[in-house]
């Protein structure tokens, strides 16, 4: 028997919990990868055949068995009704986001789940995307434990940079369900840059073009002496290689309908068509032509596709990625000539057309000395080592979209602008709108537009218990905190009483495909109109505030005015009311200015009355002594 000898003070506690190894996991749409880092050296954990890829496919048997990976992918052709694939595209999303093929969804959905999280009916079970992802993560964990010979309980898990709060929360829930502690969620492009930068001692400004099976991200990172700072990020959480498979399958089914007639297809047959589309895409990445068979309802159809036709089908999706690249460069205020290199990430970047178009746009060949399928997991493993053992590297990521609060008039006041480094906490002070207001509704929104109706609503909560004060006297400090995982917490605190409310923002499901892709574009297209709308709303809010203040003053000190003066002020009040209802910004401001002029004398008389009331009963001698004391104290 061997004795373990420890330095003084370093003896482990008896029965101390074994936390196990910490790994990096790339939970992908098409494939998942797990890696480990020790002493700065990374290893992708492989199966007996030497493959590091675990297909993100799960087969649920009628007998309750669960198969994940290559075995499940084989079931896709024979028993497609038992298989779930590309579930990452459903994380944090609703039923309206599920994409159909030939009018049919690739899944059988639970009808009771309408309007909420997607729930799938598979082999007599009802499953959420979180549960399916947990099964994938269990398989990833099992591979890691088999390869390392020890338990694996902790992981850094990567997510697309454009995953919203709901999708990030769903990913953490899936890991928790699989028995994994998530040390951190890291954006996929950031993880890739970390792996590439450390391996190659790279410094300078790099673009990371990440086109996976279901998501696309483009990030600009500056690498300097172990610091990896994201300058800007963009993307689409519903754009990837699956869309190319979908386009091919649509073309095949259209050809089939011409030769065999229109035939209704089932969700299982949709999965077969998509699997055929994926095989065609992969074959055409190496061959100029191919032929494939589709069997539906006992009828087999033969389909030919050449490279030129495939590239025509793929072009619109690839161009969408280039448009997003252009937008991120504009956000960062830099040109393509400032980019030192382009790192390709994701299996879909193996398509030659993608590489050519990226090279054309950036004016240089992308860096090809990394494995695009494995580099994200390698970066995650390095971050896992940094969080458990320590490291000299520093990751500085950013928020992809602005976060703000609704103010009077439906105006968005941005608290955290997009592309702000995280983790971050920012606060602003707000106040009450009416006299005696004892509560405030806090409405949290996300997006780049100026008005609430044009942005995404994230959460609402009420801060109650505000002391009764005049309008504008209360001070409510609203704090937005985004953690290192990109998850948002909002709190509101009233300064006088200390009453406070806090909410962790967790929408029921995430942004729709179009919302996430178009938010930034719409903010640029409509920037001028949005600002005009905002300025009009602000003018109306200020005018109504003046109306309330003047009416309150008249109720208290109206006796200071003659009948004629009162009529003039009431006429000015009516003019403001009409302008707020019907006029533009200039009309509202003009009416408000007329009201201010009409009440100037009234304001002076009220001030005089207030001063006389304050001085009532005070002798001149006593006032002189008080002023003398104040001067001496100063």
């Amino acid at each position: 028997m061997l004795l373990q000898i420890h330095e003084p003070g370093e003896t482990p506690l008896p029965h101390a919990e074994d936390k196990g190894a910490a790994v990096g996991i790339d939970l992908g749409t098409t494939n998942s990868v797990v890696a480990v880092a020790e002493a700065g050296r990374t290893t992708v954990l492989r199966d007996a055949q030497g493959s590091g890829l675990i297909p993100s496919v799960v087969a649920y048997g009628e007998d309750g068995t669960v198969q994940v990976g290559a075995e499940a992918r084989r079931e896709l052709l024979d028993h497609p009704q038992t298989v779930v694939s590309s579930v990452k595209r459903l994380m944090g999303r609703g039923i309206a986001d599920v994409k159909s093929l030939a009018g049919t969804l690739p899944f059988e959905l639970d009808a009771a789940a309408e309007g909420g999280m997607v729930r799938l009916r598979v082999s007599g079970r009802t499953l959420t995307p979180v549960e399916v992802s947990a099964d994938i993560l269990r398989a990833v964990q099992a591979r890691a434990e088999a390869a390392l010979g020890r338990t694996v309980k902790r992981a850094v898990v990567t997510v697309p940079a454009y995953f919203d709060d709901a999708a990030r929360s769903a990913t953490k829930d899936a890991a928790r369900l699989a028995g994994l502690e998530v040390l951190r969620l890291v954006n996929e492009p950031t993880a890739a840059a970390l792996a590439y930068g450390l391996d190659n001692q790279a410094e300078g400004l790099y673009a990371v073009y990440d086109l996976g099976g279901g998501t696309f991200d483009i990030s600009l990172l500056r690498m300097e002496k172990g610091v990896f700072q994201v300058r800007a990020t963009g993307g689409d959480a519903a754009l990837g290689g699956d869309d190319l498979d979908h386009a091919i399958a649509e073309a095949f089914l259209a050809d089939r309908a011409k030769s065999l007639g229109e035939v209704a297809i089932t969700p299982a047959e949709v999965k077969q068509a998509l699997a055929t589309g994926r095989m065609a895409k992969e074959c055409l990445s190496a061959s100029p032509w191919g032929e494939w068979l589709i069997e539906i309802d006992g009828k087999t159809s033969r389909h030919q596709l050449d490279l030129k036709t495939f590239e025509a089908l793929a072009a619109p999706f690839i161009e969408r990625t280039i448009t997003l690249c252009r937008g991120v460069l504009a956000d960062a205020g830099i040109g393509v000539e400032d980019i030192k290199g382009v790192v390709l990430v994701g299996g879909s970047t193996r398509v030659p057309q993608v590489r050519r178009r990226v090279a054309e746009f950036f004016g240089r060949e992308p860096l090809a000395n990394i494995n695009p399928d494995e580099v994200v997991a390698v970066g995650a493993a390095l971050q896992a080592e940094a969080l458990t053992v320590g490291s000299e590297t520093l990751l500085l990521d950013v928020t992809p979209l602005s976060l703000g609060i609704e103010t009077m008039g439906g105006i968005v006041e941005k608290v955290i602008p997009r592309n702000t480094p995280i983790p971050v906490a920012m606060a602003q002070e707000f106040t009450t709108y009416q006299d005696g207001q004892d509560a405030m509704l806090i409405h949290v929104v996300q997006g780049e537009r100026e008005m609430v109706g044009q942005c995404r609503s994230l959460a609402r909560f009420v801060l109650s218990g505000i002391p009764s004060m005049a309008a504008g006297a209360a001070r409510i400090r609203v704090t937005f905190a985004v953690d290192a995982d990109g998850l948002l917490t909002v709190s509101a605190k009233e300064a006088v009483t200390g009453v406070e409310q806090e909410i962790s923002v967790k929408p029921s499901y995430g942004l729709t495909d179009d919302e996430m892709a178009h938010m930034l574009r719409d903010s640029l297209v409509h920037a001028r109109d949005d600002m005009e709308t905002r300025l009009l709303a602000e003018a109306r809010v200020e005018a109504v505030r003046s109306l309330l203040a003047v009416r309150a003053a008249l109720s208290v000190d109206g006796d200071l005015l003659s009948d004629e003066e009162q009529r003039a002020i009431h006429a000015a009040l009516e003019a403001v009311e009409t302008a707020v209802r019907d006029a533009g910004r200039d009309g509202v401001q003009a009416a408000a200015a007329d009201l201010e002029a009409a009440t100037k004398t009234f304001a002076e008389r009220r001030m005089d009355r207030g001063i006389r009331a304050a001085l009532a009963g005070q002798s001149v001698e006593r006032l002189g002594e008080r002023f003398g004391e104040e001067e001496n104290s100063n």
Side-chain angles (χ1 to χ4, degrees), residues 581-629:
R581 186 175 61 249
D582 302 327
R585 177 186 168 211
D586 291 341
V588 173
Q589 290 180 326
D594 290 343
L595 177 60
E596 183 179 359
T599 57
K600 183 178 180 181
T601 301
F602 180 39
E604 292 171 351
R605 291 176 188 171
R606 293 191 74 216
M607 186 177 294
D608 289 341
R609 173 177 280 185
I611 292 173
R612 286 197 301 272
L615 297 180
Q618 300 283 343
S619 66
V620 175
E621 292 80 6
R622 179 56 188 152
L623 288 173
E625 291 173 4
R626 183 183 298 175
F627 290 138
E629 291 170 359

Side-chain angles (χ1 to χ4, degrees), residues 28-29 85-94 97-99 129 163 213-215 236-244 246 320 513:
T29 306
S85 60
S86 297
V87 74
K88 183 175 177 178
R89 298 192 78 158
L90 303 182
M91 293 293 275
R93 295 186 174 273
D97 300 310
V98 183
K99 196 172 185 180
F163 251 20
T215 60
D236 189 333
L239 172 63
D242 281 3
D243 293 294
L244 306 186
H246 197 280
R320 278 169 60 188
D513 298 352

Side-chain angles (χ1 to χ4, degrees), residues 125 130 138 156 158 165 174 193 216-217 229 234 285 288 305 316 332 393 399 421 446 472 482 513 588 605-606 610:
R125 309 184 194 186
V130 170
R138 288 190 188 98
V156 168
T158 61
D165 194 82
F216 170 70
D217 289 311
Q229 181 176 12
S285 293
L305 188 66
T393 63
T399 56
Q446 181 181 40
V482 180
D513 298 352
V588 173
R605 291 176 188 171
R606 293 191 74 216

Side-chain angles (χ1 to χ4, degrees), residues 221-276:
L221 293 96
R222 184 168 292 282
M223 309 181 197
E224 289 181 334
K225 298 178 181 178
V227 177
F228 297 77
Q229 181 176 12
V230 181
R231 290 284 304 277
T233 190
D236 189 333
L239 172 63
D242 281 3
D243 293 294
L244 306 186
D245 307 340
H246 197 280
I248 296 171
E250 286 277 14
F252 284 177
L253 290 178
D255 290 341
R256 178 183 172 89
K258 290 178 184 177
S259 59
L260 300 178
E262 293 285 350
V263 178
I265 61 175
T266 66
E269 290 163 344
V270 167
K271 293 177 188 176
Q272 284 182 310
L274 289 171
T276 305

